[in-house]
Amino acid sequence: EAQVTQNPRYLITVTGKKLTVTCSQNMNHEYMSWYRQDPGLGLRQIYYSMNVEVTDKGDVPEGYKVSRKEKRNFPLILESPSPNQTSLYFCASSGTDSGNTIYFGEGSWLTVV
Amino acid sequence: KQEVTQIPAALSVPEGENLVLNCSFTDSAIYNLQWFRQDPGKGLTSLLLIQSSQREQTSGRLNASLDKSSGRSTLYIAASQPGDSATYLCAVRPTRTYKYIFGTGTRLKVLA
């Protein structure tokens, strides 16, 4: 079954404590991306990756880091989380052709206090 | 800069009605447009993808159309059911990018 798996699904953390949200896909997709979803603002892209060791900033990259050491994994790193990073985060993957559907993970609810 | 707008933000209809959801975008240079469904607290599920060379796609009771020249797409849902209640989002992928730009969605409630 085609899947994008994110962990953790729910997390409450404190300001400044580094955390990593993992993302893994089993479809051998080249493209992976992270989004955050906030009320009234919709989905905004944080970072994306076209393949191993190839990453680029999306629209709201400040405060986040990513890495793509393996094709299936694309972790999102918050080095020093702040309350304005409280959000619902989604990982997504797809092939790179124009006919490829995007697959999304179930989401990770992150609260920074 | 590409912007995607969905109007209305929320919609309530009685069961059985046919309905149309709207999506507009400001730049016609796109690779594709996708419609998604999102249930509360859940991820997004792709419903239909229309490539830039296509005019419409159909899946079951859903039909999506694309008019690039006017910057519009519509999602038509036939014979709506309470199980169709969800938020519907559209997203475009501009040409020469690997970004996807999302609208803020239409929250649909189908009343039994």
Side-chain angles (χ1 to χ4, degrees), chain A residues 9 31 35 37 40-43 45 48 50 57-59 90 94 96-102 104-106 109, chain B residues 1 31-32 34 36 38 41-46 49-51 89 91 93 97-104:
Chain A
R9 295 287 319 282
Y31 176 89
Y35 296 85
Q37 186 175 36
L41 297 176
L43 275 150
Q45 191 173 49
Y48 64 95
M50 292 310 303
K57 296 177 181 178
D59 296 315
F90 289 103
S94 77
T96 52
D97 293 338
S98 63
N100 288 123
T101 298
I102 312 171
F104 279 82
E106 287 285 292
W109 290 91
Chain B
K1 180 185 174 186
Y31 269 132
N32 63 41
Q34 296 194 45
F36 296 87
Q38 185 178 25
K42 300 284 190 180
L44 282 72
T45 301
S46 181
L49 180 151
I50 312 176
Q51 297 188 61
L89 297 103
R93 178 182 161 187
T97 76
Y98 294 98
K99 291 185 171 187
Y100 290 87
I101 314 296
F102 282 81
T104 51

Side-chain angles (χ1 to χ4, degrees), chain A residues 19-44:
Chain A
L19 71 92
T20 299
V21 186
T22 63
C23 174
S24 180
Q25 49 96 2
N26 64 359
M27 296 164 278
N28 201 36
H29 284 159
E30 296 87 2
Y31 176 89
M32 296 186 75
S33 183
W34 278 101
Y35 296 85
R36 60 178 289 173
Q37 186 175 36
D38 302 288
L41 297 176
L43 275 150
R44 294 178 293 167

Side-chain angles (χ1 to χ4, degrees), chain B residues 49-61:
Chain B
L49 180 151
I50 312 176
Q51 297 188 61
S52 64
S53 57
Q54 297 173 327
R55 292 294 298 237
E56 66 178 339
Q57 285 287 335
T58 298
S59 176
R61 294 184 293 110

Side-chain angles (χ1 to χ4, degrees), chain A residues 32-90:
Chain A
M32 296 186 75
S33 183
W34 278 101
Y35 296 85
R36 60 178 289 173
Q37 186 175 36
D38 302 288
L41 297 176
L43 275 150
R44 294 178 293 167
Q45 191 173 49
I46 303 171
Y47 270 95
Y48 64 95
S49 169
M50 292 310 303
N51 216 322
V52 175
E53 304 291 0
V54 181
T55 62
D56 206 351
K57 296 177 181 178
D59 296 315
V60 288
E62 295 78 20
Y64 304 94
K65 286 176 60 176
V66 293
S67 68
R68 188 93 181 269
K69 293 183 168 51
E70 302 167 284
K71 197 172 185 179
R72 64 182 292 125
N73 295 324
F74 190 45
L76 179 69
I77 303 158
L78 286 72
E79 292 271 2
S80 183
S82 62
N84 65 11
Q85 293 178 296
T86 292
S87 188
L88 175 57
Y89 291 86
F90 289 103

Side-chain angles (χ1 to χ4, degrees), chain B residues 12-72:
Chain B
S12 287
V13 300
E15 182 177 7
E17 271 205 7
N18 302 323
L19 58 100
V20 174
L21 305 181
N22 296 298
C23 173
S24 60
F25 48 97
T26 54
D27 189 338
S28 63
I30 62 172
Y31 269 132
N32 63 41
L33 182 145
Q34 296 194 45
W35 282 94
F36 296 87
R37 169 185 174 135
Q38 185 178 25
D39 293 290
K42 300 284 190 180
L44 282 72
T45 301
S46 181
L47 297 172
L48 290 164
L49 180 151
I50 312 176
Q51 297 188 61
S52 64
S53 57
Q54 297 173 327
R55 292 294 298 237
E56 66 178 339
Q57 285 287 335
T58 298
S59 176
R61 294 184 293 110
L62 305 179
N63 175 277
S65 67
L66 174 64
D67 183 345
K68 282 201 313 177
S69 61
S70 66
R72 288 184 174 184

Side-chain angles (χ1 to χ4, degrees), chain B residues 8-12 21 85-88 104-109:
Chain B
L11 182 64
S12 287
L21 305 181
S85 298
T87 296
Y88 291 81
T104 51
T106 294
R107 191 169 63 252
L108 173 66
K109 188 167 186 178

